[in-house]
Amino acid sequence: MTRTKRKDVTYSPIILPVVALAIWHLVVMLTAIPSFLRLAFAENFDPSLTEEEKARNLERSTERFATVMQQPVLYYVICFALAHIGAGGKLASWLAWAFAISWSATRPPVSLSNKHLRCGAHTVSSISMYALAVYAGIQITRDLLAASG
């Protein structure tokens, strides 16, 4: 595995795309807050809405916000696991960058305007995530088999 050295600090190359996406994730969260607040509160002040409609609006806005945050959390866990076990080399790093770039392209504030491009970017990010997870599973299984045999 290739490791990058800077003075006395050694880190796995998979960490860079994790940090890049974490920063972008924070930007997305900040831009999602006004939308969340609008859906959660402003629409609920409409006197023509029933209590059931207000509850549905709040639930829908909460679900949207949570859904946007799920995939990156899994990404962070998988990448840090790969880095921890020393398997964050070139392949894992390329897959991590593929996920980070394609996921970022599907989220505001630079979300792709063409729905087909956005769908393609979402597909690439999902495939990258699955590939990272499978890669991590293979690496861990290989290490466990090597340790037991």
Side-chain angles (χ1 to χ4, degrees), residues 12 64 93 124:
S12 174
R64 284 183 188 166
S93 186
V124 169

Side-chain angles (χ1 to χ4, degrees), residues 10-143:
T10 302
Y11 60 92
S12 174
I14 199 170
I15 298 300
L16 184 59
V18 170
V19 172
L21 186 62
I23 292 167
W24 185 252
H25 196 174
L26 293 172
V27 170
V28 169
M29 285 176 59
L30 288 175
T31 61
I33 289 171
S35 173
F36 172 75
L37 293 175
R38 182 183 51 78
L39 283 170
F41 300 108
E43 290 181 0
N44 289 336
F45 288 116
D46 183 355
S48 65
L49 292 177
T50 65
E51 289 301 315
E52 184 178 302
E53 290 170 323
K54 290 178 183 180
R56 200 172 327 128
N57 282 347
L58 182 59
E59 183 179 337
R60 185 181 63 206
S61 63
T62 304
E63 284 176 10
R64 284 183 188 166
F65 192 74
T67 300
V68 166
M69 302 306 142
Q70 286 174 350
Q71 242 186 352
V73 170
L74 294 173
Y75 168 81
Y76 301 139
V77 169
I78 292 167
C79 289
F80 280 119
L82 284 167
H84 179 71
I85 65 172
K90 289 181 183 177
L91 176 61
S93 186
W94 278 102
L95 290 170
W97 275 115
F99 176 83
I101 292 168
S102 58
W103 187 88
S104 298
T106 63
R107 302 292 178 245
V110 294
S111 182
L112 297 169
S113 59
N114 183 313
K115 67 180 177 179
H116 298 297
L117 290 175
R118 197 169 48 246
C119 181
H122 179 72
T123 301
V124 169
S125 68
S126 295
I127 290 170
S128 301
M129 173 67 71
Y130 286 115
L132 272 172
V134 168
Y135 181 74
I138 290 169
Q139 294 300 314
I140 291 168
T141 302
R142 183 191 57 137
D143 290 347

